[in-house]
Amino acid sequence: IELAAGRLSSRSLADLHDRLDRSLDLLSDNHAVTLRRTIEWSYDLLPDREQELFRHLATFPDGFDLATAELVASDLGLSGDAGSAIAHLVDASMVGLTVGLTARYRMLDTIRTLAHDRLHAAGEDHDATERFLRWTLQRAAWFAQTIDTEDEPQADGLLRREIANLRAAWRLVRDDDRLDD
C-alpha cells in the first residue's frame, strides 16, 4: 500500500488500480531494491521441487487446501511430503495460511505475479492451467453429484470455499471459447 501510495504523485488512482495486476513492475523503484527482486530472492532460496510446486499452485487464484497441494505435487511427480513443502513455503512467506475449519493457503497478488512469470518462463503455464481446469471440473462434478444428497452441507461448504476458483476457471474456459468444458 505504501509503495502504491508513493506512485500517486505520477499516476491517478484509477491508473494505479488498472495496473495492479502487474504490481511487481508498477511498484518498482529504481533507487532501491524492488519488490520483485525481494520476492525473487526468496524464491531463489527455495529447493527446486518447492519452486515447481509454488509455481503450479499459483494457478489457484483464491488459494488451495492441503489436499489440493498434495494432488498437484503428485501430478507433477514431485518426491517427498507435499505438506512439508507447503510448511516451508509458509515459513518463507511465499504462501500465507488462514486457519478456519481447515487450513487454507493463499498467495499475495504480488507473489502470485512472480509465480506466474516464473511459470511462463519455465514453459509450464499451459500444463498448470490445464491441471487447474481439470481440478475445477472434478470439484464441479462432485458438487453436482452431492448437492441433492444427505451430504449437501459438505457440498455447500465446498462451493463456498471454492467459488472464486470456480469463477476463475469459468472465465478461463469462456475466454478460450471452451464452453463445453
Side-chain angles (χ1 to χ4, degrees), residues 35-131:
L35 182 58
R36 174 180 288 281
R37 287 189 196 132
T38 302
I39 298 169
E40 285 175 341
W41 177 76
S42 295
Y43 173 85
D44 291 340
L45 291 175
L46 298 173
D48 291 345
R49 69 182 285 278
E50 290 178 17
Q51 288 180 359
E52 186 175 6
L53 182 60
F54 169 76
R55 290 190 306 265
H56 286 261
L57 290 172
T59 59
F60 294 82
D62 194 45
F64 51 91
D65 57 17
L66 182 57
T68 299
E70 291 171 335
L71 183 73
V72 170
S74 174
D75 194 44
L76 290 169
L78 298 177
S79 61
D81 177 39
S84 295
I86 293 298
H88 187 245
L89 290 171
V90 170
D91 291 344
S93 299
M94 300 300 282
V95 172
L97 168 65
T98 304
V99 179
L101 294 176
T102 61
R104 185 97 179 151
Y105 303 93
R106 289 186 172 85
M107 292 180 194
L108 296 173
D109 288 339
T110 51
I111 292 174
R112 176 178 280 101
T113 298
L114 174 89
H116 281 289
D117 289 350
R118 292 292 178 107
L119 195 62
H120 181 72
E124 300 168 336
D125 43 353
H126 176 75
D127 289 342
T129 298
E130 290 302 312
R131 181 179 298 101

